[in-house]
Amino acid sequence: MPVNDLELKTFKAIVECIEEGSEKPSRAAIAKELGLSRTTASNYVNKLISAEILEELDSESQGRGRPGKPLTLSTSKRYAIGAFFDEHDWYLSIVNLQGQPVENLHYPIERMTIDSFIQVLIGGIKHIQKKYGAQLLPAVGIGSPGVIDRKTGTIIKAVDLGWRDIPLGRIVQNQTGFSCYILNRYRATGLGEAQHGQGQGVKDFIFIGIGTGMGSAIFIDGKLMFTTNIHTGGIGHIIVDPHGPYCSCGRKGCALPLASTDALITNVLNSLADKTLLTQTTLALQYATEKTLTLAQIMQAAQDGDVFAQQAVQTVADPMCQIIGHLITIINPKKIVLGGPMATSGNYYVDYIEKKVVNDYLTPEIPIVQGSMDVYTGARGAASLVTKRVVELTFHTPDTWYLEQ
Ligand SMILES: [Zn+2]
């Protein structure tokens, strides 16, 4: 259904008007807001209703005496796919145009390789394509590990996984026929937090995700910050200790080898080689019986007051405090939201950081909170890259993947 540029622009303006307004507008309200005649606005609205992008509700708008039926984005006609990768798992969410999930799917990867990472994702998308058919917008939003070139859909590098130059967008597009919008997984989670989680209603906040890798999403005046460069938000390679260990990026003392979940687990396992700790920490006993330890066990012990576990968590939290202290000083946000496996495995890590940042960096006392515990937050954030393009994806056939913004 190709349309001209003016029509496309007007459709987008109407959809934005509905998305951003605090009340559901009527046709008359849209005409007034966009400076159109009622007849013209109504014609555009009719086309958006036939394209199943908008729905007109039956009830009079919220009983406030405003004439006309309220309009809303469709809740049950068109859907979008968002995908998010963490640890060894893909999480896929199918959302309606209001961003509400209608189905969530989890695909664990049994043997982790670059090929299985890509093929498991493609398998998930194809399953959804088969089930939802033409109701799907023909694109997928992807929250991927690593530094992403959003113009080409390429993972430039993911040093925590040892990957370089993976043309994920091109492969997914070739095999599924869907366009791809790719961004770093923690930037996708930040979008999910902004829309449905701890960032709701907060215009200026920073989301930081910490797992085997780390990343941040800075929101200023309600918008995720981008630059023309590709490294926006990459906090893992901030040098926090010039005398620290070498990072796999080649520099010395980056946050990544000091503050990731791998760093925490490795530090704890190395310390437990010292048998004198056996009487001092519950983790030693768990390690002796299970021969390994999980992030969740370490975080639980810290929360239960195990001093050894608490010190281990503090060691990886301290570099993050340094980064957060500086970010608060530079950006001056209203809130910091911490997510990813490290922050969502227990409260001790986040509580420690909240106190330490104010004490050591004398920052304004802003809330530093744990992000949403919903593992599909990142997938919903990625799906929003698709739903926000509902007009283009309906009225134009995209021939390539697009910028993530
Ligand atoms: Zn580095």
Side-chain angles (χ1 to χ4, degrees):
M1 212 188 306
V3 296
N4 67 38
D5 282 356
L6 174 67
E7 287 176 296
L8 199 69
K9 247 175 131 174
T10 313
F11 285 146
K12 285 177 74 167
I14 292 173
V15 168
E16 269 167 34
C17 191
I18 290 170
E19 270 178 336
E20 287 165 17
S22 52
E23 291 179 23
K24 298 181 181 76
S26 63
R27 290 166 189 248
I30 286 172
K32 195 175 167 200
E33 174 78 23
L34 301 182
L36 300 170
S37 76
R38 282 198 184 202
T39 317
T40 310
S42 220
N43 285 338
Y44 279 113
V45 166
N46 285 340
K47 284 182 189 168
L48 287 169
I49 291 173
S50 351
E52 301 185 320
I53 293 174
L54 298 188
E55 286 170 2
E56 203 159 33
L57 303 178
D58 282 335
S59 59
E60 288 295 312
S61 64
Q62 296 140 20
R64 296 187 194 174
R66 199 157 45 114
K69 293 176 179 175
L71 290 158
T72 164
L73 287 168
S74 153
T75 52
S76 58
K77 301 275 175 57
R78 308 297 307 277
Y79 303 105
I81 311 175
F84 170 81
F85 179 83
D86 209 3
E87 303 285 324
H88 298 92
D89 304 83
W90 277 106
Y91 298 93
L92 272 63
S93 194
I94 300 108
V95 305
N96 66 20
L97 296 186
Q98 298 189 4
Q100 295 150 345
V102 291
E103 188 175 355
N104 287 324
L105 297 162
H106 172 214
Y107 294 92
I109 298 176
E110 277 171 26
R111 274 192 51 243
M112 185 64 190
T113 61
I114 293 174
D115 193 51
S116 57
F117 165 81
I118 297 172
Q119 290 311 322
V120 168
L121 169 64
I122 288 172
I125 295 169
K126 285 186 170 170
H127 166 81
I128 296 166
Q129 286 177 322
K130 216 169 164 186
K131 184 166 174 187
Y132 289 83
Q135 288 184 303
L136 287 176
L137 294 171
V140 51
I142 302 173
S144 159
V147 175
I148 312 297
D149 182 342
R150 59 203 165 97
K151 288 182 188 159
T152 63
T154 304
I155 303 174
I156 301 293
K157 58 182 174 183
V159 299
D160 53 323
L161 297 162
W163 296 352
R164 265 182 187 282
D165 296 324
I166 301 168
L168 180 64
R170 201 175 68 222
I171 298 170
V172 173
Q173 189 184 26
N174 286 345
Q175 293 198 25
T176 65
F178 273 19
S179 298
C180 295
Y181 307 107
I182 308 183
L183 77 173
N184 174 273
R185 56 179 156 176
Y186 290 131
R187 290 168 69 71
T189 312
L191 280 174
E193 292 287 352
Q195 289 149 5
H196 315 287
Q198 288 283 2
Q200 278 184 97
V202 191
K203 289 201 159 185
D204 304 310
F205 82 99
I206 302 174
F207 173 82
I208 298 174
I210 309 113
T212 55
M214 51 191 74
S216 71
I218 298 170
F219 289 82
I220 295 171
D221 198 22
K223 299 245 176 334
L224 176 58
M225 190 183 94
F226 286 96
T227 66
T228 49
N229 211 332
I230 56 173
H231 287 274
T232 319
I235 55 166
H237 303 283
I238 292 177
I239 293 173
V240 290
D241 177 4
H243 307 292
Y246 276 103
C247 174
S248 34
C249 75
R251 277 172 286 195
K252 214 169 176 326
C254 289
L256 190 65
L258 290 166
S260 68
T261 48
D262 281 351
L264 174 61
I265 294 168
T266 308
N267 292 349
V268 167
L269 293 180
N270 287 343
S271 303
L272 289 179
D274 177 358
K275 297 279 188 289
T276 59
L277 281 169
L278 262 173
T279 52
Q280 293 172 38
T281 169
T282 54
L283 289 173
L285 197 59
Q286 283 176 16
Y287 179 60
T289 43
E290 294 164 33
K291 300 291 174 234
T292 189
L293 282 173
T294 64
L295 176 68
Q297 287 171 321
I298 298 167
M299 286 298 181
Q300 187 62 51
Q303 207 159 314
D304 293 344
D306 186 304
V307 174
F308 167 80
Q310 289 182 345
Q311 281 168 351
V313 173
Q314 289 171 18
T315 302
V316 295
D318 284 340
M320 202 43 71
C321 291
Q322 196 179 325
I323 290 173
I324 293 169
H326 296 327
L327 278 175
I328 295 176
T329 307
I330 300 165
I331 310 280
N332 201 5
K334 287 271 193 305
K335 195 175 193 179
I336 300 278
V337 181
L338 300 179
M342 184 82 96
T344 51
S345 300
N347 295 325
Y348 183 81
Y349 178 80
V350 177
D351 292 347
Y352 172 79
I353 288 180
E354 182 168 33
K355 287 190 201 91
K356 174 100 175 170
V357 166
V358 176
N359 275 340
D360 288 14
Y361 298 94
L362 306 175
T363 56
E365 277 194 49
I366 58 164
I368 298 179
V369 302
Q370 195 172 43
S372 159
M373 303 299 279
D374 181 352
V375 290
Y376 291 94
T377 302
R380 289 176 77 184
S384 73
L385 299 175
V386 178
T387 53
K388 73 190 261 194
R389 292 177 173 88
V390 60
V391 169
E392 294 95 317
L393 288 166
T394 303
F395 296 103
H396 272 242
T397 309
D399 56 359
T400 185
W401 50 87
Y402 287 78
L403 305 184
E404 58 174 290
Q405 61 200 8

